[in-house]
Amino acid sequence: MDVNDLTTGFGFEIFDSIYNGVVAIDQQGIIKLFNEAAAKIMGVAKEETIGRRVEEVIPNTSLLEILKTGKAENNQKMHLGNCEIISNRGPICKDGKIVGAIGVFQDISDFEALSLELDNVKEINNDLDAIIESVADGIVVGSADGMILRANSAYLQITGIQEKEFVGKNVRELINQGYMNKSVTEMVFRTKSRVNVVDIRSGKELLMTGAPVFNEEKEVTRVVTIVRDISELTELKGKLEQAEDAKNRYLKELEHFRSQNAFKKIITKNNDMQKKLDTAYHVARVDSTVLILGESGVGKELIAQLIHRASHRSEKPFIKINCGAIPANLLESEFFGYEAGSFTGALKEGKKGLFELADGGTLFLDEVGELPLEHQVKVLRAIQEKEILRVGGKKTIKLDIRIIAATNRDLEAMIREKAFREDLYYRLNVVPMTIPPLRQRKEDVIPIALELLARYNTAYGYQKWIHPEVMDCLLNYDWPGNIRELENTIERLVVTSMDDCITKDAMAEIKSIDVHPAPNGLTSLKAFLEKEENRLLEEAYRLMGSTRKAAAVLGISQSSMVKKMKKYGIEIQN
């Protein structure tokens, strides 16, 4: 066959109709055939190519090399025009001689793009497979018809199921065969939302979270289920709860010991005082109202603080109200607060009262005997109802507070004199506690004095000590101001004494304390009279059986009888 035979007759139309480009040249390299596909790939008109040298139309062509060598070249990639092509080239022979060459090529640009995209998809799939297999949680993928498409190694290990038993089967079939109790895949398809399920499989507690995968039409096409073995987590949770319970128990015990130690910081060797402290510690654990009675300076506020610290309210506020220090016209607004614009000068945002500030904690009503009579009914209502009404307010405010009150006044005498409400007294007097004065616990004077001396030495950087003669003076003094007076006296001695030893010379500056004790066998007139008065009161009360009858025998009023008995710590029987 000659090259010219390719370009004539019916064969020419055949070459023009095929998809591949075809180029044929004769022995001189002249183009004899250039079909439409080749012209399109090269971006030239077919008519302009016939009769031209091939290298003019296709630069760097290998067809001329084929004419010389006579060797065919198949599946050769090359860049032709704007296209990436693959070409098969070979010689045209007639009677054993090379009479021309022919090249058949195809544009593979689209195939190259698809191949590159396919390679990218394969790489992504490989990465995704590696990620899914590296996750410690089980991963299961289900299709819209409930078929299990894949399950990673972690899931198979968690459940103890082999891949051939699970993958490729329908969830209904797996449930019927006992591989699972419930299907998260079905739940997600039904609800079209995320589902969390806890199930027991192979003796393990599993948390399964199913999430839907939507297509562009918002239809669920896949369900991805994450499976996690929470058996260990459940066990750890139980251990954590046990540890938390133990921690809370230890904290309570620690707080118990701290509160006990706090009470132990009150220095006393007096049996009566120790009983009072034991009672205070015992009632601290409940919310009953406590009324602390005693002379000024005996430590009523300290006892109230210790009760609060030993209670379950210790982390909440301890609010002190000195009922005698607030002017009567401000008392209601200070106690209960006020709403915005309640009166001239009021804060525009209003103000919480002291009762409200103590919510959750302890409210200490110090000097409650000084509370004006006209305000006692409002305090009674607040204590009784556990609610307050702000000045200018219309809505009551509920409170959760524990009440501790204290006074050095004789409230029973005040009730008789119509100076204190009886109902308020009984509301406060749930757990009464009378703190004995220092003169009735002389065994505590020296230990307290030494403790105070150490405190002030540390505070001021001194190393002072008290001469035994001064100790005798302190011991023989009656301390009408009780511990507060003793505290002030020790501080004064420490800061005014010129020498490290505090002697009688320093004591001489304190006029109230006698630095010249009576000779052996004698005592001061005041001490003698008080001792006899104490004895006489005890004897009269013992014989007559009531304060009224004893007061009549002694020629004094009943209120004076009661007051004196409390002064000397004589217990009054109900």
Side-chain angles (χ1 to χ4, degrees):
M1 181 180 65
D2 197 308
V3 176
N4 293 322
D5 297 335
L6 298 174
T7 62
T8 59
F10 183 66
F12 183 77
E13 283 77 11
I14 293 174
F15 283 117
D16 257 351
S17 66
I18 63 177
Y19 178 75
N20 292 342
V22 180
V23 178
I25 61 175
D26 62 11
Q27 200 170 16
Q28 285 73 40
I30 303 300
I31 297 175
K32 295 298 183 177
L33 173 64
F34 206 94
N35 72 345
E36 287 289 349
K40 183 178 179 182
I41 291 172
M42 292 302 302
V44 297
K46 181 182 71 170
E47 294 78 10
E48 296 176 359
T49 63
I50 306 299
R52 296 175 61 185
R53 290 195 61 83
V54 67
E55 64 267 26
E56 294 176 2
V57 179
I58 307 175
N60 301 322
T61 180
S62 297
L63 288 176
L64 296 175
E65 187 69 22
I66 299 298
L67 287 176
K68 294 179 182 180
T69 63
K71 294 182 179 179
E73 295 178 351
N74 296 320
N75 299 320
Q76 300 297 308
K77 273 189 178 183
M78 63 180 295
H79 191 74
L80 195 61
N82 295 322
C83 303
E84 193 77 22
I85 68 170
I86 186 167
S87 173
N88 293 317
R89 300 182 288 270
I92 301 174
C93 297
K94 182 176 182 180
D95 299 329
K97 293 183 179 181
I98 298 174
V99 295
I102 187 168
V104 179
F105 51 90
Q106 181 178 349
D107 183 1
I108 60 169
S109 301
D110 291 341
F111 295 123
E112 286 289 302
L114 288 173
S115 176
L116 181 61
E117 185 175 346
L118 182 60
D119 288 341
N120 290 335
V121 170
K122 286 182 178 178
E123 185 176 354
I124 292 172
N125 282 336
N126 290 335
D127 291 343
L128 182 60
D129 287 339
I131 292 171
I132 290 175
E133 288 299 321
S134 67
V135 174
D137 293 336
I139 298 178
V140 178
V141 180
S143 66
D145 56 359
M147 297 297 293
I148 302 299
L149 301 179
R150 71 171 301 170
N152 69 347
S153 301
Y155 178 82
L156 300 175
Q157 184 177 2
I158 290 171
T159 58
I161 300 174
Q162 295 183 8
E163 185 175 8
K164 63 182 180 180
E165 299 176 289
F166 194 71
V167 177
K169 294 188 177 182
N170 192 280
V171 292
R172 285 283 97 203
E173 180 183 357
L174 293 172
I175 290 176
N176 293 335
Q177 292 178 354
Y179 283 99
M180 59 177 65
N181 300 320
K182 55 193 74 173
S183 171
V184 176
T185 301
E186 287 185 332
M187 295 180 186
V188 172
F189 275 114
R190 187 170 60 252
T191 62
K192 295 186 178 181
S193 61
R194 182 181 293 268
V195 172
N196 292 308
V197 172
V198 175
D199 197 9
I200 305 295
R201 297 186 188 176
S202 302
K204 297 178 181 179
E205 188 174 8
L206 305 180
L207 173 63
M208 297 179 289
T209 302
V213 178
F214 296 95
N215 60 14
E216 294 181 356
E217 287 75 30
K218 304 300 181 183
E219 297 172 339
V220 180
T221 59
R222 296 285 188 271
V223 173
V224 179
T225 303
I226 307 299
V227 181
R228 175 171 295 180
D229 184 357
I230 60 172
S231 302
E232 292 184 4
L233 291 177
T234 304
E235 183 180 354
L236 287 175
K237 181 182 177 183
K239 291 181 178 179
L240 182 61
E241 290 175 350
Q242 292 177 0
E244 191 72 19
D245 291 341
K247 184 198 77 171
N248 292 334
R249 185 171 66 253
Y250 295 148
L251 287 176
K252 287 181 181 178
E253 291 177 358
L254 180 60
E255 186 59 34
H256 172 76
F257 291 136
R258 283 177 177 172
S259 59
Q260 278 188 325
N261 290 333
F263 276 92
K264 289 177 181 178
K265 288 181 180 179
I266 297 181
I267 300 172
T268 183
K269 294 183 178 180
N270 181 269
N271 291 334
D272 186 31
M273 184 62 183
Q274 188 57 57
K275 289 179 181 178
K276 305 294 184 184
L277 294 177
D278 292 342
T279 300
Y281 179 72
H282 181 72
V283 301
R285 290 173 287 180
V286 296
D287 282 341
S288 300
T289 302
V290 178
L291 177 61
I292 305 175
L293 304 170
E295 297 178 10
S296 179
V298 295
K300 297 186 291 295
E301 182 178 349
L302 177 60
I303 298 295
Q305 290 175 343
L306 293 177
I307 291 174
H308 172 73
R309 284 188 57 186
S311 73
H312 64 90
R313 300 173 180 268
S314 59
E315 301 297 324
K316 298 298 183 178
F318 177 85
I319 302 296
K320 174 188 174 182
I321 301 178
N322 190 323
C323 299
I326 302 175
N329 60 330
L330 298 178
L331 193 142
E332 185 175 0
S333 61
E334 289 296 315
F335 273 31
F336 308 122
Y338 55 82
E339 297 292 349
S342 299
F343 51 85
T344 303
L347 296 175
K348 61 180 181 180
E349 67 272 15
K351 179 184 175 182
K352 288 184 177 181
L354 294 171
F355 270 71
E356 198 171 345
L357 290 174
D359 190 31
T362 302
L363 183 68
F364 178 48
L365 298 175
D366 195 17
E367 304 298 345
V368 71
E370 307 298 330
L371 193 63
L373 187 63
E374 62 270 20
H375 292 292
Q376 291 179 19
V377 65
K378 294 181 179 179
V379 173
L380 171 64
R381 182 184 180 278
I383 296 173
Q384 184 169 296
E385 303 297 333
K386 294 294 177 69
E387 63 181 24
I388 60 168
L389 183 66
R390 289 183 180 179
V391 175
K394 297 179 180 179
K395 184 179 179 181
T396 59
I397 301 173
K398 285 289 184 181
L399 299 177
D400 173 26
I401 55 176
R402 196 245 180 100
I403 302 294
I404 301 177
T407 184
N408 60 2
R409 301 284 298 273
D410 185 346
L411 296 183
E412 292 182 354
M414 292 179 67
I415 292 172
R416 290 191 293 272
E417 295 166 2
K418 306 299 182 183
F420 200 85
R421 292 181 63 95
E422 186 176 11
D423 47 5
L424 177 57
Y425 170 72
Y426 287 117
R427 179 59 61 181
L428 296 174
N429 196 40
V430 178
V431 181
M433 190 179 301
T434 302
I435 308 302
L438 192 55
R439 63 179 169 276
Q440 293 179 11
R441 33 188 285 232
K442 288 293 185 75
E443 61 267 53
D444 291 341
V445 172
I446 300 303
I448 295 175
L450 293 175
E451 174 68 22
L452 293 170
L453 177 66
R455 182 195 305 174
Y456 293 122
N457 272 336
T458 301
Y460 302 129
Y462 294 144
Q463 293 181 337
K464 298 191 176 184
W465 56 283
I466 299 175
H467 193 280
E469 291 181 345
V470 176
M471 288 294 190
D472 289 338
C473 296
L474 298 177
L475 193 59
N476 291 325
Y477 184 57
D478 284 337
W479 301 108
N482 294 293
I483 296 174
R484 186 181 296 121
E485 184 183 5
L486 176 59
E487 185 175 6
N488 293 341
T489 299
I490 297 300
E491 182 177 12
R492 181 175 175 181
L493 290 173
V494 169
V495 299
T496 59
S497 175
M498 299 300 179
D499 302 315
D500 284 346
C501 178
I502 300 174
T503 63
K504 281 187 177 182
D505 293 337
M507 287 287 291
E509 299 297 323
I510 304 176
K511 304 299 184 183
S512 59
I513 300 179
D514 186 7
V515 297
H516 303 291
N520 291 338
L522 296 179
T523 184
S524 67
L525 178 60
K526 180 181 178 183
F528 175 79
L529 292 176
E530 286 185 346
K531 183 176 181 181
E532 284 302 306
E533 185 178 42
N534 186 3
R535 183 191 62 78
L536 189 60
L537 290 170
E538 284 185 324
E539 185 70 12
Y541 183 63
R542 183 180 64 82
L543 291 173
M544 304 310 297
S546 72
T547 56
R548 183 181 60 80
K549 293 178 181 179
V553 169
L554 296 176
I556 59 177
S557 66
Q558 186 182 17
S559 62
S560 295
M561 179 72 184
V562 172
K563 188 174 182 179
K564 288 178 180 292
M565 290 178 69
K566 288 185 176 180
K567 173 183 175 181
Y568 294 115
I570 302 172
E571 186 176 357
I572 301 175
Q573 302 294 330
N574 292 330

